[in-house]
Amino acid sequence: QVQLVESGGGLVQPGGSLRLSCAASGIFFTFFHMSWYRQAPGKQRELVAAITSGGNTNYAESVKGRFAIFTDNVKSTVYLQMNSLKPEDTAVYYCNAKKDADYWGKGTLVTVSS
């Protein structure tokens, strides 16, 4: 059974940092493309950052230079380091694993507010 479990969300002030984690089980982690998406209230889910099985990364324009995605293949975990957070980064952040099928975590809430 595939499971993606996100953690690390919370309340942070503007300009602060958070690191999200997504622990995967039930998949051959190194074969999958891993991504982080987010969904703000009243908005569609959007891609934030992705990393391929080969280690190539891409980012939404709105987070370039502030966020970084990376993996620990030993722990089957993908991370999202978020720096210089802005109120507009407030959203539920979801982990996605993709190969022949899409798998999703349940999400973790990030609130950026003073």
PDB file of all heavy atoms in Angstrom, residues 42-79:
ATOM      1  N   GLY A  42      -9.854  28.794  -1.946  1.00  0.00           N
ATOM      2  CA  GLY A  42     -10.525  29.370  -3.097  1.00  0.00           C
ATOM      3  C   GLY A  42      -9.733  29.318  -4.394  1.00  0.00           C
ATOM      4  O   GLY A  42     -10.158  29.872  -5.404  1.00  0.00           O
ATOM      5  N   LYS A  43      -8.589  28.638  -4.373  1.00  0.00           N
ATOM      6  CA  LYS A  43      -7.751  28.575  -5.565  1.00  0.00           C
ATOM      7  C   LYS A  43      -7.523  27.125  -5.979  1.00  0.00           C
ATOM      8  O   LYS A  43      -7.725  26.194  -5.207  1.00  0.00           O
ATOM      9  CB  LYS A  43      -6.412  29.267  -5.322  1.00  0.00           C
ATOM     10  CG  LYS A  43      -6.527  30.760  -5.095  1.00  0.00           C
ATOM     11  CD  LYS A  43      -5.159  31.416  -5.090  1.00  0.00           C
ATOM     12  CE  LYS A  43      -5.282  32.924  -4.961  1.00  0.00           C
ATOM     13  NZ  LYS A  43      -3.941  33.590  -4.979  1.00  0.00           N
ATOM     14  N   GLN A  44      -7.076  26.969  -7.213  1.00  0.00           N
ATOM     15  CA  GLN A  44      -6.762  25.632  -7.709  1.00  0.00           C
ATOM     16  C   GLN A  44      -5.414  25.162  -7.168  1.00  0.00           C
ATOM     17  O   GLN A  44      -4.548  25.978  -6.830  1.00  0.00           O
ATOM     18  CB  GLN A  44      -6.728  25.635  -9.232  1.00  0.00           C
ATOM     19  CG  GLN A  44      -8.094  25.779  -9.880  1.00  0.00           C
ATOM     20  CD  GLN A  44      -8.046  25.527 -11.382  1.00  0.00           C
ATOM     21  OE1 GLN A  44      -7.071  25.859 -12.040  1.00  0.00           O
ATOM     22  NE2 GLN A  44      -9.099  24.926 -11.909  1.00  0.00           N
ATOM     23  N   ARG A  45      -5.272  23.855  -7.122  1.00  0.00           N
ATOM     24  CA  ARG A  45      -3.997  23.281  -6.721  1.00  0.00           C
ATOM     25  C   ARG A  45      -2.950  23.616  -7.784  1.00  0.00           C
ATOM     26  O   ARG A  45      -3.217  23.517  -8.984  1.00  0.00           O
ATOM     27  CB  ARG A  45      -4.122  21.770  -6.553  1.00  0.00           C
ATOM     28  CG  ARG A  45      -2.946  21.110  -5.896  1.00  0.00           C
ATOM     29  CD  ARG A  45      -3.224  19.641  -5.601  1.00  0.00           C
ATOM     30  NE  ARG A  45      -4.310  19.469  -4.642  1.00  0.00           N
ATOM     31  CZ  ARG A  45      -4.626  18.304  -4.085  1.00  0.00           C
ATOM     32  NH1 ARG A  45      -3.930  17.206  -4.387  1.00  0.00           N
ATOM     33  NH2 ARG A  45      -5.624  18.230  -3.244  1.00  0.00           N
ATOM     34  N   GLU A  46      -1.764  24.003  -7.331  1.00  0.00           N
ATOM     35  CA  GLU A  46      -0.711  24.378  -8.269  1.00  0.00           C
ATOM     36  C   GLU A  46       0.600  23.687  -7.919  1.00  0.00           C
ATOM     37  O   GLU A  46       0.875  23.408  -6.740  1.00  0.00           O
ATOM     38  CB  GLU A  46      -0.491  25.900  -8.273  1.00  0.00           C
ATOM     39  CG  GLU A  46      -0.005  26.474  -6.956  1.00  0.00           C
ATOM     40  CD  GLU A  46       0.337  27.950  -7.030  1.00  0.00           C
ATOM     41  OE1 GLU A  46       0.308  28.516  -8.129  1.00  0.00           O
ATOM     42  OE2 GLU A  46       0.659  28.529  -5.978  1.00  0.00           O
ATOM     43  N   LEU A  47       1.385  23.444  -8.946  1.00  0.00           N
ATOM     44  CA  LEU A  47       2.707  22.850  -8.741  1.00  0.00           C
ATOM     45  C   LEU A  47       3.647  23.889  -8.134  1.00  0.00           C
ATOM     46  O   LEU A  47       3.729  25.016  -8.622  1.00  0.00           O
ATOM     47  CB  LEU A  47       3.272  22.351 -10.067  1.00  0.00           C
ATOM     48  CG  LEU A  47       4.684  21.776 -10.023  1.00  0.00           C
ATOM     49  CD1 LEU A  47       4.717  20.482  -9.224  1.00  0.00           C
ATOM     50  CD2 LEU A  47       5.214  21.549 -11.435  1.00  0.00           C
ATOM     51  N   VAL A  48       4.349  23.483  -7.095  1.00  0.00           N
ATOM     52  CA  VAL A  48       5.315  24.357  -6.441  1.00  0.00           C
ATOM     53  C   VAL A  48       6.727  23.984  -6.867  1.00  0.00           C
ATOM     54  O   VAL A  48       7.519  24.837  -7.281  1.00  0.00           O
ATOM     55  CB  VAL A  48       5.191  24.263  -4.911  1.00  0.00           C
ATOM     56  CG1 VAL A  48       6.274  25.091  -4.228  1.00  0.00           C
ATOM     57  CG2 VAL A  48       3.809  24.690  -4.456  1.00  0.00           C
ATOM     58  N   ALA A  49       7.052  22.699  -6.749  1.00  0.00           N
ATOM     59  CA  ALA A  49       8.407  22.244  -7.074  1.00  0.00           C
ATOM     60  C   ALA A  49       8.364  20.760  -7.393  1.00  0.00           C
ATOM     61  O   ALA A  49       7.521  20.036  -6.858  1.00  0.00           O
ATOM     62  CB  ALA A  49       9.358  22.499  -5.907  1.00  0.00           C
ATOM     63  N   ALA A  50       9.283  20.340  -8.255  1.00  0.00           N
ATOM     64  CA  ALA A  50       9.337  18.939  -8.646  1.00  0.00           C
ATOM     65  C   ALA A  50      10.778  18.501  -8.800  1.00  0.00           C
ATOM     66  O   ALA A  50      11.656  19.309  -9.128  1.00  0.00           O
ATOM     67  CB  ALA A  50       8.579  18.716  -9.949  1.00  0.00           C
ATOM     68  N   ILE A  51      10.990  17.212  -8.559  1.00  0.00           N
ATOM     69  CA  ILE A  51      12.317  16.634  -8.767  1.00  0.00           C
ATOM     70  C   ILE A  51      12.130  15.281  -9.454  1.00  0.00           C
ATOM     71  O   ILE A  51      11.316  14.462  -9.021  1.00  0.00           O
ATOM     72  CB  ILE A  51      13.097  16.509  -7.436  1.00  0.00           C
ATOM     73  CG1 ILE A  51      14.514  15.991  -7.684  1.00  0.00           C
ATOM     74  CG2 ILE A  51      12.355  15.662  -6.410  1.00  0.00           C
ATOM     75  CD1 ILE A  51      15.435  16.163  -6.479  1.00  0.00           C
ATOM     76  N   THR A  52      12.856  15.086 -10.544  1.00  0.00           N
ATOM     77  CA  THR A  52      12.713  13.844 -11.280  1.00  0.00           C
ATOM     78  C   THR A  52      13.537  12.746 -10.617  1.00  0.00           C
ATOM     79  O   THR A  52      14.368  13.004  -9.737  1.00  0.00           O
ATOM     80  CB  THR A  52      13.184  14.006 -12.725  1.00  0.00           C
ATOM     81  OG1 THR A  52      14.605  14.201 -12.723  1.00  0.00           O
ATOM     82  CG2 THR A  52      12.498  15.185 -13.401  1.00  0.00           C
ATOM     83  N   SER A  53      13.328  11.533 -11.092  1.00  0.00           N
ATOM     84  CA  SER A  53      14.107  10.415 -10.565  1.00  0.00           C
ATOM     85  C   SER A  53      15.593  10.595 -10.877  1.00  0.00           C
ATOM     86  O   SER A  53      16.441  10.048 -10.185  1.00  0.00           O
ATOM     87  CB  SER A  53      13.588   9.094 -11.151  1.00  0.00           C
ATOM     88  OG  SER A  53      13.642   9.127 -12.565  1.00  0.00           O
ATOM     89  N   GLY A  54      15.888  11.410 -11.884  1.00  0.00           N
ATOM     90  CA  GLY A  54      17.272  11.699 -12.225  1.00  0.00           C
ATOM     91  C   GLY A  54      17.856  12.879 -11.481  1.00  0.00           C
ATOM     92  O   GLY A  54      19.033  13.210 -11.669  1.00  0.00           O
ATOM     93  N   GLY A  55      17.043  13.530 -10.666  1.00  0.00           N
ATOM     94  CA  GLY A  55      17.539  14.634  -9.850  1.00  0.00           C
ATOM     95  C   GLY A  55      17.343  16.019 -10.441  1.00  0.00           C
ATOM     96  O   GLY A  55      17.779  17.009  -9.859  1.00  0.00           O
ATOM     97  N   ASN A  56      16.688  16.104 -11.601  1.00  0.00           N
ATOM     98  CA  ASN A  56      16.414  17.424 -12.167  1.00  0.00           C
ATOM     99  C   ASN A  56      15.252  18.070 -11.427  1.00  0.00           C
ATOM    100  O   ASN A  56      14.279  17.405 -11.083  1.00  0.00           O
ATOM    101  CB  ASN A  56      16.083  17.296 -13.650  1.00  0.00           C
ATOM    102  CG  ASN A  56      17.271  16.782 -14.444  1.00  0.00           C
ATOM    103  OD1 ASN A  56      18.392  17.233 -14.265  1.00  0.00           O
ATOM    104  ND2 ASN A  56      17.023  15.810 -15.317  1.00  0.00           N
ATOM    105  N   THR A  57      15.366  19.371 -11.239  1.00  0.00           N
ATOM    106  CA  THR A  57      14.349  20.093 -10.487  1.00  0.00           C
ATOM    107  C   THR A  57      13.720  21.196 -11.327  1.00  0.00           C
ATOM    108  O   THR A  57      14.333  21.707 -12.266  1.00  0.00           O
ATOM    109  CB  THR A  57      14.941  20.722  -9.220  1.00  0.00           C
ATOM    110  OG1 THR A  57      15.996  21.618  -9.588  1.00  0.00           O
ATOM    111  CG2 THR A  57      15.486  19.661  -8.287  1.00  0.00           C
ATOM    112  N   ASN A  58      12.499  21.543 -10.990  1.00  0.00           N
ATOM    113  CA  ASN A  58      11.885  22.740 -11.548  1.00  0.00           C
ATOM    114  C   ASN A  58      10.963  23.345 -10.505  1.00  0.00           C
ATOM    115  O   ASN A  58      10.468  22.641  -9.609  1.00  0.00           O
ATOM    116  CB  ASN A  58      11.167  22.471 -12.862  1.00  0.00           C
ATOM    117  CG  ASN A  58       9.936  21.639 -12.707  1.00  0.00           C
ATOM    118  OD1 ASN A  58      10.005  20.437 -12.546  1.00  0.00           O
ATOM    119  ND2 ASN A  58       8.764  22.276 -12.736  1.00  0.00           N
ATOM    120  N   TYR A  59      10.747  24.641 -10.625  1.00  0.00           N
ATOM    121  CA  TYR A  59      10.016  25.400  -9.629  1.00  0.00           C
ATOM    122  C   TYR A  59       9.017  26.341 -10.280  1.00  0.00           C
ATOM    123  O   TYR A  59       9.232  26.842 -11.385  1.00  0.00           O
ATOM    124  CB  TYR A  59      10.993  26.243  -8.791  1.00  0.00           C
ATOM    125  CG  TYR A  59      11.994  25.428  -8.019  1.00  0.00           C
ATOM    126  CD1 TYR A  59      13.237  25.109  -8.563  1.00  0.00           C
ATOM    127  CD2 TYR A  59      11.703  24.968  -6.734  1.00  0.00           C
ATOM    128  CE1 TYR A  59      14.148  24.347  -7.861  1.00  0.00           C
ATOM    129  CE2 TYR A  59      12.612  24.213  -6.020  1.00  0.00           C
ATOM    130  CZ  TYR A  59      13.837  23.906  -6.589  1.00  0.00           C
ATOM    131  OH  TYR A  59      14.737  23.151  -5.883  1.00  0.00           O
ATOM    132  N   ALA A  60       7.954  26.608  -9.553  1.00  0.00           N
ATOM    133  CA  ALA A  60       7.049  27.673  -9.960  1.00  0.00           C
ATOM    134  C   ALA A  60       7.810  28.995  -9.887  1.00  0.00           C
ATOM    135  O   ALA A  60       8.668  29.186  -9.009  1.00  0.00           O
ATOM    136  CB  ALA A  60       5.835  27.708  -9.042  1.00  0.00           C
ATOM    137  N   GLU A  61       7.479  29.904 -10.796  1.00  0.00           N
ATOM    138  CA  GLU A  61       8.170  31.194 -10.826  1.00  0.00           C
ATOM    139  C   GLU A  61       8.053  31.917  -9.490  1.00  0.00           C
ATOM    140  O   GLU A  61       8.988  32.592  -9.059  1.00  0.00           O
ATOM    141  CB  GLU A  61       7.590  32.060 -11.942  1.00  0.00           C
ATOM    142  CG  GLU A  61       8.043  31.681 -13.342  1.00  0.00           C
ATOM    143  CD  GLU A  61       9.528  31.869 -13.551  1.00  0.00           C
ATOM    144  OE1 GLU A  61      10.107  32.819 -12.977  1.00  0.00           O
ATOM    145  OE2 GLU A  61      10.124  31.060 -14.298  1.00  0.00           O
ATOM    146  N   SER A  62       6.928  31.756  -8.836  1.00  0.00           N
ATOM    147  CA  SER A  62       6.665  32.496  -7.607  1.00  0.00           C
ATOM    148  C   SER A  62       7.549  32.058  -6.440  1.00  0.00           C
ATOM    149  O   SER A  62       7.643  32.775  -5.442  1.00  0.00           O
ATOM    150  CB  SER A  62       5.196  32.352  -7.210  1.00  0.00           C
ATOM    151  OG  SER A  62       4.878  30.985  -7.012  1.00  0.00           O
ATOM    152  N   VAL A  63       8.190  30.893  -6.563  1.00  0.00           N
ATOM    153  CA  VAL A  63       9.007  30.402  -5.450  1.00  0.00           C
ATOM    154  C   VAL A  63      10.479  30.259  -5.806  1.00  0.00           C
ATOM    155  O   VAL A  63      11.290  29.914  -4.945  1.00  0.00           O
ATOM    156  CB  VAL A  63       8.480  29.053  -4.907  1.00  0.00           C
ATOM    157  CG1 VAL A  63       7.003  29.162  -4.569  1.00  0.00           C
ATOM    158  CG2 VAL A  63       8.734  27.912  -5.872  1.00  0.00           C
ATOM    159  N   LYS A  64      10.832  30.514  -7.051  1.00  0.00           N
ATOM    160  CA  LYS A  64      12.234  30.383  -7.465  1.00  0.00           C
ATOM    161  C   LYS A  64      13.134  31.272  -6.613  1.00  0.00           C
ATOM    162  O   LYS A  64      12.827  32.433  -6.369  1.00  0.00           O
ATOM    163  CB  LYS A  64      12.385  30.754  -8.941  1.00  0.00           C
ATOM    164  CG  LYS A  64      12.051  29.632  -9.888  1.00  0.00           C
ATOM    165  CD  LYS A  64      12.318  30.037 -11.330  1.00  0.00           C
ATOM    166  CE  LYS A  64      11.964  28.904 -12.273  1.00  0.00           C
ATOM    167  NZ  LYS A  64      12.148  29.287 -13.694  1.00  0.00           N
ATOM    168  N   GLY A  65      14.232  30.688  -6.174  1.00  0.00           N
ATOM    169  CA  GLY A  65      15.174  31.424  -5.347  1.00  0.00           C
ATOM    170  C   GLY A  65      14.829  31.409  -3.869  1.00  0.00           C
ATOM    171  O   GLY A  65      15.649  31.821  -3.043  1.00  0.00           O
ATOM    172  N   ARG A  66      13.630  30.951  -3.530  1.00  0.00           N
ATOM    173  CA  ARG A  66      13.218  30.917  -2.114  1.00  0.00           C
ATOM    174  C   ARG A  66      13.018  29.489  -1.610  1.00  0.00           C
ATOM    175  O   ARG A  66      13.251  29.209  -0.437  1.00  0.00           O
ATOM    176  CB  ARG A  66      11.915  31.697  -1.926  1.00  0.00           C
ATOM    177  CG  ARG A  66      12.000  33.154  -2.309  1.00  0.00           C
ATOM    178  CD  ARG A  66      10.732  33.913  -1.887  1.00  0.00           C
ATOM    179  NE  ARG A  66       9.536  33.427  -2.560  1.00  0.00           N
ATOM    180  CZ  ARG A  66       8.459  32.966  -1.916  1.00  0.00           C
ATOM    181  NH1 ARG A  66       8.434  32.916  -0.599  1.00  0.00           N
ATOM    182  NH2 ARG A  66       7.398  32.558  -2.606  1.00  0.00           N
ATOM    183  N   PHE A  67      12.535  28.615  -2.489  1.00  0.00           N
ATOM    184  CA  PHE A  67      12.241  27.236  -2.107  1.00  0.00           C
ATOM    185  C   PHE A  67      13.241  26.288  -2.769  1.00  0.00           C
ATOM    186  O   PHE A  67      13.761  26.568  -3.856  1.00  0.00           O
ATOM    187  CB  PHE A  67      10.843  26.826  -2.565  1.00  0.00           C
ATOM    188  CG  PHE A  67       9.705  27.497  -1.840  1.00  0.00           C
ATOM    189  CD1 PHE A  67       9.889  28.564  -0.987  1.00  0.00           C
ATOM    190  CD2 PHE A  67       8.408  27.019  -2.031  1.00  0.00           C
ATOM    191  CE1 PHE A  67       8.834  29.158  -0.325  1.00  0.00           C
ATOM    192  CE2 PHE A  67       7.336  27.605  -1.384  1.00  0.00           C
ATOM    193  CZ  PHE A  67       7.550  28.684  -0.534  1.00  0.00           C
ATOM    194  N   ALA A  68      13.476  25.160  -2.109  1.00  0.00           N
ATOM    195  CA  ALA A  68      14.346  24.126  -2.674  1.00  0.00           C
ATOM    196  C   ALA A  68      13.756  22.754  -2.383  1.00  0.00           C
ATOM    197  O   ALA A  68      13.354  22.477  -1.244  1.00  0.00           O
ATOM    198  CB  ALA A  68      15.746  24.229  -2.103  1.00  0.00           C
ATOM    199  N   ILE A  69      13.732  21.906  -3.410  1.00  0.00           N
ATOM    200  CA  ILE A  69      13.246  20.539  -3.253  1.00  0.00           C
ATOM    201  C   ILE A  69      14.447  19.597  -3.327  1.00  0.00           C
ATOM    202  O   ILE A  69      15.341  19.778  -4.157  1.00  0.00           O
ATOM    203  CB  ILE A  69      12.193  20.191  -4.330  1.00  0.00           C
ATOM    204  CG1 ILE A  69      11.591  18.808  -4.085  1.00  0.00           C
ATOM    205  CG2 ILE A  69      12.785  20.300  -5.742  1.00  0.00           C
ATOM    206  CD1 ILE A  69      10.384  18.503  -4.978  1.00  0.00           C
ATOM    207  N   PHE A  70      14.466  18.615  -2.444  1.00  0.00           N
ATOM    208  CA  PHE A  70      15.547  17.643  -2.471  1.00  0.00           C
ATOM    209  C   PHE A  70      15.067  16.356  -1.817  1.00  0.00           C
ATOM    210  O   PHE A  70      14.042  16.341  -1.127  1.00  0.00           O
ATOM    211  CB  PHE A  70      16.812  18.165  -1.786  1.00  0.00           C
ATOM    212  CG  PHE A  70      16.630  18.616  -0.363  1.00  0.00           C
ATOM    213  CD1 PHE A  70      16.975  17.770   0.688  1.00  0.00           C
ATOM    214  CD2 PHE A  70      16.139  19.871  -0.063  1.00  0.00           C
ATOM    215  CE1 PHE A  70      16.826  18.174   2.004  1.00  0.00           C
ATOM    216  CE2 PHE A  70      15.985  20.286   1.255  1.00  0.00           C
ATOM    217  CZ  PHE A  70      16.323  19.433   2.287  1.00  0.00           C
ATOM    218  N   THR A  71      15.797  15.294  -2.063  1.00  0.00           N
ATOM    219  CA  THR A  71      15.379  13.982  -1.577  1.00  0.00           C
ATOM    220  C   THR A  71      16.479  13.321  -0.756  1.00  0.00           C
ATOM    221  O   THR A  71      17.657  13.634  -0.891  1.00  0.00           O
ATOM    222  CB  THR A  71      15.017  13.038  -2.738  1.00  0.00           C
ATOM    223  OG1 THR A  71      16.153  12.907  -3.597  1.00  0.00           O
ATOM    224  CG2 THR A  71      13.821  13.549  -3.526  1.00  0.00           C
ATOM    225  N   ASP A  72      16.040  12.415   0.099  1.00  0.00           N
ATOM    226  CA  ASP A  72      16.933  11.499   0.803  1.00  0.00           C
ATOM    227  C   ASP A  72      16.470  10.100   0.411  1.00  0.00           C
ATOM    228  O   ASP A  72      15.445   9.623   0.920  1.00  0.00           O
ATOM    229  CB  ASP A  72      16.848  11.715   2.309  1.00  0.00           C
ATOM    230  CG  ASP A  72      17.815  10.812   3.080  1.00  0.00           C
ATOM    231  OD1 ASP A  72      18.140   9.711   2.592  1.00  0.00           O
ATOM    232  OD2 ASP A  72      18.215  11.206   4.192  1.00  0.00           O
ATOM    233  N   ASN A  73      17.185   9.487  -0.524  1.00  0.00           N
ATOM    234  CA  ASN A  73      16.736   8.197  -1.048  1.00  0.00           C
ATOM    235  C   ASN A  73      16.828   7.083  -0.013  1.00  0.00           C
ATOM    236  O   ASN A  73      16.074   6.108  -0.076  1.00  0.00           O
ATOM    237  CB  ASN A  73      17.533   7.828  -2.289  1.00  0.00           C
ATOM    238  CG  ASN A  73      17.205   8.719  -3.471  1.00  0.00           C
ATOM    239  OD1 ASN A  73      16.124   9.292  -3.533  1.00  0.00           O
ATOM    240  ND2 ASN A  73      18.138   8.857  -4.394  1.00  0.00           N
ATOM    241  N   VAL A  74      17.724   7.226   0.934  1.00  0.00           N
ATOM    242  CA  VAL A  74      17.837   6.216   1.989  1.00  0.00           C
ATOM    243  C   VAL A  74      16.582   6.226   2.865  1.00  0.00           C
ATOM    244  O   VAL A  74      16.082   5.181   3.266  1.00  0.00           O
ATOM    245  CB  VAL A  74      19.091   6.457   2.840  1.00  0.00           C
ATOM    246  CG1 VAL A  74      19.134   5.507   4.034  1.00  0.00           C
ATOM    247  CG2 VAL A  74      20.349   6.294   1.988  1.00  0.00           C
ATOM    248  N   LYS A  75      16.075   7.422   3.112  1.00  0.00           N
ATOM    249  CA  LYS A  75      14.878   7.566   3.952  1.00  0.00           C
ATOM    250  C   LYS A  75      13.599   7.587   3.132  1.00  0.00           C
ATOM    251  O   LYS A  75      12.507   7.714   3.711  1.00  0.00           O
ATOM    252  CB  LYS A  75      14.979   8.844   4.781  1.00  0.00           C
ATOM    253  CG  LYS A  75      16.102   8.842   5.796  1.00  0.00           C
ATOM    254  CD  LYS A  75      16.098  10.115   6.614  1.00  0.00           C
ATOM    255  CE  LYS A  75      17.199  10.096   7.672  1.00  0.00           C
ATOM    256  NZ  LYS A  75      17.209  11.343   8.481  1.00  0.00           N
ATOM    257  N   SER A  76      13.701   7.503   1.808  1.00  0.00           N
ATOM    258  CA  SER A  76      12.520   7.602   0.930  1.00  0.00           C
ATOM    259  C   SER A  76      11.691   8.840   1.280  1.00  0.00           C
ATOM    260  O   SER A  76      10.464   8.760   1.438  1.00  0.00           O
ATOM    261  CB  SER A  76      11.663   6.330   1.028  1.00  0.00           C
ATOM    262  OG  SER A  76      12.371   5.205   0.560  1.00  0.00           O
ATOM    263  N   THR A  77      12.365   9.938   1.388  1.00  0.00           N
ATOM    264  CA  THR A  77      11.725  11.183   1.820  1.00  0.00           C
ATOM    265  C   THR A  77      12.092  12.316   0.868  1.00  0.00           C
ATOM    266  O   THR A  77      13.242  12.427   0.441  1.00  0.00           O
ATOM    267  CB  THR A  77      12.155  11.531   3.253  1.00  0.00           C
ATOM    268  OG1 THR A  77      11.740  10.476   4.135  1.00  0.00           O
ATOM    269  CG2 THR A  77      11.533  12.841   3.712  1.00  0.00           C
ATOM    270  N   VAL A  78      11.095  13.117   0.567  1.00  0.00           N
ATOM    271  CA  VAL A  78      11.316  14.335  -0.214  1.00  0.00           C
ATOM    272  C   VAL A  78      11.038  15.522   0.688  1.00  0.00           C
ATOM    273  O   VAL A  78      10.104  15.486   1.508  1.00  0.00           O
ATOM    274  CB  VAL A  78      10.446  14.370  -1.489  1.00  0.00           C
ATOM    275  CG1 VAL A  78       8.961  14.305  -1.167  1.00  0.00           C
ATOM    276  CG2 VAL A  78      10.771  15.577  -2.345  1.00  0.00           C
ATOM    277  N   TYR A  79      11.843  16.547   0.541  1.00  0.00           N
ATOM    278  CA  TYR A  79      11.754  17.734   1.381  1.00  0.00           C
ATOM    279  C   TYR A  79      11.461  18.967   0.542  1.00  0.00           C
ATOM    280  O   TYR A  79      11.784  19.024  -0.647  1.00  0.00           O
ATOM    281  CB  TYR A  79      13.075  17.954   2.132  1.00  0.00           C
ATOM    282  CG  TYR A  79      13.490  16.813   3.013  1.00  0.00           C
ATOM    283  CD1 TYR A  79      14.322  15.803   2.534  1.00  0.00           C
ATOM    284  CD2 TYR A  79      13.061  16.742   4.333  1.00  0.00           C
ATOM    285  CE1 TYR A  79      14.714  14.745   3.343  1.00  0.00           C
ATOM    286  CE2 TYR A  79      13.448  15.683   5.149  1.00  0.00           C
ATOM    287  CZ  TYR A  79      14.270  14.695   4.646  1.00  0.00           C
ATOM    288  OH  TYR A  79      14.654  13.651   5.453  1.00  0.00           O
TER     289      TYR A  79
END
